[in-house]
């Protein structure tokens, strides 16, 4: 199934999102890891993850009428906190549907922003269903976590910054959950540096996007399968319809990494780069370090996206103690 090019987010739309994000999202720097590799540390955002970009891009695109009833979303954590933050900044009420197994550090972040939390089971389809029902009953504007053009445009500002700050970029490595981040990044990077490769990374236990890309259609994995990975932010049953069109159009490859490799990447980021990454945020680095992504001589300017840093303190402490 070929991508419908009319659906794809344009560079102009990403630039428009960037204008609305000024003063809310941080323009994160590119940090050198070695002679050929840079890190894009989205864990330095105000909510410690890239999600503030898409959330605020979406909320600021709503009409006054759509905003009037408040907003609702469904998320395991980082998107939840980002929507709660954006809503607070805009003076809107927010309801967040979160799974019972969401990390406490992410729940606490949502609570600090003043949003109301509704709990659900672990499956992404379940929390989406609850959010859709509540939106219908109470008139909330539904803010999807990834399957939305404005969300993708907001996340695409990560790729816009990469292309502007490193015009010679040869490859970009990005984690894949629902597909919003890699969709926006790939759209921007391919527009600014058409020859650059964009490679997605998933945990072995939640590799639905890789299977979908190979099959040419969206493949869904059950929650009891994806829950096995430590990377809670990537435990999505299936990529979104719109992100899948972007994967087909722009993404060169998707690779998988083990939880062991993710933990190793977290430890090295903390000790060598002084960057705190949550498991999902370290997935792209795990792929880079493993050598699973080929590095031909022409790949002289690689960027690894560190997508978030909301890790449970106990998990981080145990990891560092074992190093």
């Amino acid at each position: 199934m070929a991508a419908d090019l009319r659906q794809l987010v344009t560079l102009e739309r990403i630039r428009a999102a960037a204008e609305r994000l000024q003063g809310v999202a941080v323009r994160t720097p590119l940090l050198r890891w070695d002679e050929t590799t840079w890190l894009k540390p989205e864990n330095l955002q105000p909510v410690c993850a890239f999600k503030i970009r898409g959330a605020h891009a979406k909320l600021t695109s709503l009409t006054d009428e759509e905003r009037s009833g408040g907003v609702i979303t469904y998320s395991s954590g980082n998107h939840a906190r980002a929507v709660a933050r954006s809503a607070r900044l805009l003076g809107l009420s927010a309801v967040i549907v979160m799974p019972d197994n969401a990390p406490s550090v992410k729940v606490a972040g949502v609570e600090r922003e003043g949003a109301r939390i509704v709990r659900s089971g672990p499956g992404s389809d379940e929390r989406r269903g609850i959010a859709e029902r509540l939106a219908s009953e109470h008139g909330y504007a539904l803010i999807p976590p990834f399957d939305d053009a404005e969300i993708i445009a907001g996340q695409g500002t990560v790729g816009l910054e990469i292309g502007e700050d490193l015009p010679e970029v040869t490859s970009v490595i990005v984690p894949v959950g629902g597909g919003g981040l890699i969709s926006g990044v790939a759209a921007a990077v391919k527009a600014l540096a058409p020859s650059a490769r964009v490679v997605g990374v998933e945990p072995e236990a939640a590799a639905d996007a890789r299977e979908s890309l190979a099959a040419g259609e969206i493949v869904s994995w059950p929650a009891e399968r994806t829950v096995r990975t430590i990377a809670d932010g990537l435990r999505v049953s299936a990529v979104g319809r719109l992100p899948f069109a972007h994967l087909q159009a722009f993404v060169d490859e998707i690779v998988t990494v083990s939880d062991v490799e993710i933990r190793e990447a977290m430890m090295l980021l903390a000790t060598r780069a002084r960057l705190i990454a949550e498991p999902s945020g370290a997935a792209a680095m795990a792929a880079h370090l493993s050598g699973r992504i080929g590095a031909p001589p022409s790949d002289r300017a690689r960027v690894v996206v560190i997508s978030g840093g909301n890790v449970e303190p106990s998990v981080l402490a145990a990891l560092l103690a074992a190093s």
Side-chain angles (χ1 to χ4, degrees):
M1 181 176 67
D4 183 349
L5 300 182
R6 294 170 298 179
Q7 302 179 75
L8 304 180
V9 170
T10 63
L11 185 62
E12 290 71 25
R13 194 166 191 170
I14 295 170
R15 290 192 190 278
E19 288 292 322
R20 303 200 303 278
L21 292 178
Q22 290 187 19
V24 174
V26 172
R27 187 184 182 100
T28 52
L30 290 177
L31 305 177
R32 267 199 182 271
W33 175 258
D34 58 28
E35 291 80 2
T36 61
T37 307
W38 283 258
L39 308 180
K40 181 70 168 169
E42 287 295 294
N43 57 315
L44 301 182
Q45 291 292 347
V47 298
C48 302
F50 74 94
K51 288 285 192 177
I52 188 62
R53 296 175 182 266
H56 200 69
K58 177 62 177 179
L59 266 65
T60 53
S61 75
L62 299 176
T63 65
D64 290 343
E65 181 179 357
E66 289 170 328
R67 295 188 194 188
S68 64
V71 298
I72 189 169
T73 195
Y74 49 98
S75 166
S76 64
N78 286 335
H79 178 68
R81 186 177 175 189
V83 170
R85 165 65 68 93
S86 179
R88 181 177 64 76
L89 293 176
L90 295 170
L92 309 178
S93 62
V95 178
I96 314 292
V97 182
M98 301 185 75
D100 290 331
N101 63 346
S104 61
V105 67
K106 296 183 179 182
V107 175
V110 172
E111 291 175 338
R112 284 196 300 272
E113 300 294 348
R116 180 167 72 89
I117 296 174
V118 174
R119 305 309 288 262
S120 73
S124 57
D125 288 342
E126 178 182 351
R127 57 182 178 265
R128 175 180 178 175
I130 293 172
E132 290 175 342
R133 174 176 58 81
L134 292 175
S136 177
E137 291 175 356
H138 300 283
Y140 304 133
L142 184 63
I143 310 300
F146 46 80
D147 202 355
D148 179 272
E150 289 298 341
I151 295 284
I152 291 172
Q155 319 304 27
T157 59
V158 174
L160 176 64
E161 292 172 12
I162 291 171
E164 290 177 343
D165 294 346
L166 191 69
E168 68 272 26
V169 62
T170 52
S171 64
V172 182
I173 317 304
V174 192
V176 183
L181 176 60
I182 194 170
S183 294
V185 169
V189 169
K190 291 293 187 178
L192 295 171
S195 63
R197 296 176 67 228
V198 177
V199 179
V201 183
E202 287 184 297
E204 293 173 348
D208 58 280
R210 183 171 184 263
E211 186 174 339
S212 298
L213 198 58
E217 61 182 6
I218 297 174
V219 177
S220 180
W221 284 32
E224 57 268 23
R225 189 175 182 185
T226 61
V227 76
R228 297 172 299 164
T229 179
I230 188 177
D232 62 279
L234 305 182
R235 294 173 187 159
V236 177
S237 296
V239 296
R241 177 196 58 80
L242 189 54
F244 184 62
H246 287 74
L247 292 182
Q248 289 187 303
F250 298 129
V251 174
D252 295 281
E253 183 183 9
I254 297 178
V255 301
T256 62
V257 291
S258 69
D259 279 9
V260 170
E261 290 168 329
I262 289 173
R263 288 188 177 94
E264 176 71 11
M266 291 173 65
M267 187 271 291
L268 288 176
L269 284 168
T271 56
R272 283 184 51 187
R274 299 299 187 262
L275 292 175
I276 302 303
E278 63 187 278
S280 305
M285 191 62 174
H288 169 69
L289 293 171
S290 72
R292 197 155 292 120
I293 301 169
S298 59
D299 193 6
R300 304 295 298 174
R302 172 177 290 187
V303 177
V304 180
V305 177
I306 311 303
S307 60
N310 287 306
V311 60
E312 292 280 21
S314 59
V315 173
L316 181 63
L319 187 72
L320 294 176
S323 65

